Amino acid sequence: MLIIKKAKDLKSNITSLRKQNKKIGFVPTMGALHQGHISLIDKASEENDIVVCSIFVNPSQFNQKEDFDKYPITTSSDIDKLIKSPCDILYLPSLDEIYPDGWNSEAKLDLGKLATIWEGEFRPGHFDGVVQVVGILLEMVLPNNLYLGQKDFQQCAIIKKLISINKYPINTIICETKREASGLAMSSRNARLKDTDIADALILSKSLFFIKNNFEKLNNEELISQAKSMYANNDNIKLEYLAIVDRDSLESLTTEKNNAVVLVVAWVGGVRLIDNVLLS
Ligand code: PAF
């Protein structure tokens, strides 16, 4: 596996691969790699000639400095995992390589309501940062195929919108969320959970699967109300939102059952966890 740290070196490698008509699959990450990331790399390797993975903890997408400061950095074990995976190129840039002019200077893209509800409301500015860094990475890596995890459902929709607004010739492949045997969605943030937090963290997936398993039996309001009661009377867990929404517009579905996904965000022991399950 080639490890590239400089933007100019990445560009020259990509130019040469493109000249050879190699199909490039790209997996952008912020490191702290787990089986979910590796499954994206495996999928990219099945469908492309070359797999590029990036590790860059992007400061512009953290709306709270404390969250950025606490984000797990595990670069040497990440590299070990990638060497064992079918990743061909790891792009590991410094802040200056990504943002030579600083990260506040970029013009913002108008992403409409998709960027202002749910995560947009609770993490103002978050998607501006995601779009900023993903735009920069896509223009450098020039992939044919981009691989994203479904766990960040709204992020997937936002990145698809970025690709469509900028007319990048890139297919986006959304891969299903990898879960622990317990049901907990794999996430880099899980590393920050204490052993005593795990039972509470499982409430997220339990509430989502309760809704999925009862989706035909109960109406949407009843499902949300019963699922929300699972979070009650527990000081270690703070529910931010739990909602059944349309998969495309992300607008709440009060009665509609088609094209639905249930989204959840909750804080467990001070760690913000996100998850979702497709319903129809
Ligand atoms: O999902 C992530 O890890 C990040 O938001 C991404 C897409 C790598 C952009 O920094």
Side-chain angles (χ1 to χ4, degrees):
M1 182 180 76
L2 196 59
I3 301 181
I4 298 180
K5 294 191 174 175
K6 299 276 176 210
K8 68 172 182 17
D9 296 337
L10 181 69
K11 266 189 197 149
S12 65
N13 270 276
I14 296 292
T15 307
S16 136
L17 290 165
R18 301 285 306 191
K19 273 191 195 142
Q20 297 167 58
N21 270 327
K22 297 283 187 200
K23 206 197 256 189
I24 300 174
F26 178 43
V27 180
T29 82
M30 296 206 298
L33 301 181
H34 50 70
Q35 199 44 45
H37 296 112
I38 302 301
S39 72
L40 300 181
I41 290 169
D42 287 340
K43 176 100 174 128
S45 139
E46 282 163 23
E47 298 178 350
N48 299 274
D49 302 311
I50 295 290
V51 179
V52 179
C53 173
S54 63
I55 296 182
F56 178 68
V57 184
N58 173 35
S60 78
Q61 70 187 74
F62 286 83
N63 56 314
Q64 287 180 347
K65 191 180 172 301
E66 197 197 347
D67 194 23
F68 175 63
D69 292 342
K70 285 191 179 164
Y71 203 82
I73 309 278
T74 56
T75 313
S76 72
S77 82
D78 290 346
I79 292 174
D80 288 347
K81 286 177 188 162
L82 289 174
I83 287 171
K84 289 185 195 127
S85 83
C87 177
D88 299 292
I89 298 177
L90 165 61
Y91 183 43
L92 191 60
S94 64
L95 191 63
D96 287 350
E97 290 296 322
I98 294 287
Y99 299 123
D101 303 322
W103 49 268
N104 278 321
S105 56
E106 294 288 314
K108 290 183 181 170
L109 209 59
D110 183 8
L111 299 157
K113 187 151 186 214
L114 213 49
T116 57
I117 49 174
W118 311 120
E119 290 301 273
E121 186 187 332
F122 285 94
R123 302 185 70 189
H126 167 62
F127 286 131
D128 292 329
V130 169
V131 158
Q132 181 183 33
V133 76
V134 173
I136 291 168
L137 289 168
L138 292 179
E139 287 185 18
M140 296 193 67
V141 177
L142 303 174
N144 303 79
N145 295 311
L146 170 69
Y147 295 82
L148 299 171
Q150 188 201 306
K151 186 176 72 67
D152 296 296
F153 193 88
Q154 191 171 0
Q155 170 172 278
C156 294
I158 293 280
I159 293 175
K160 277 183 166 180
K161 186 146 186 186
L162 160 75
I163 289 173
S164 116
I165 292 174
N166 286 348
K167 299 190 170 58
Y168 295 138
I170 299 173
N171 301 313
T172 309
I173 296 101
I174 313 290
C175 302
E176 78 176 33
T177 304
K178 288 284 164 200
R179 296 182 182 279
E180 307 289 352
S182 61
L184 181 68
M186 290 187 187
S187 163
S188 305
R189 285 194 163 86
N190 294 352
R192 287 175 49 203
L193 293 171
K194 294 189 276 306
D195 288 350
T196 48
D197 292 330
I198 300 292
D200 293 331
L202 291 180
I203 296 176
L204 278 85
S205 56
K206 281 184 183 154
S207 67
L208 297 180
F209 284 104
F210 164 79
I211 291 179
K212 183 171 175 61
N213 295 336
N214 292 284
F215 193 57
E216 300 306 328
K217 280 183 240 149
L218 297 173
N219 69 43
N220 295 357
E221 278 179 22
E222 187 59 28
L223 286 165
I224 291 294
S225 142
Q226 289 198 29
K228 276 189 175 170
S229 68
M230 298 179 180
Y231 295 79
N233 306 320
N234 184 337
D235 290 343
N236 195 41
I237 185 160
K238 191 178 137 270
L239 180 63
E240 218 163 64
Y241 60 83
L242 173 68
I244 297 173
V245 306
D246 180 81
R247 285 191 198 194
D248 300 310
S249 70
L250 302 189
E251 305 260 14
S252 276
L253 296 178
T254 43
T255 52
E256 180 60 55
K257 292 281 186 185
N258 288 326
N259 205 37
V261 58
V262 55
L263 308 177
V264 70
V265 167
W267 290 82
V268 177
V271 181
R272 190 173 189 272
L273 299 177
I274 188 166
D275 200 355
N276 68 81
V277 164
L278 299 178
L279 299 172
S280 56

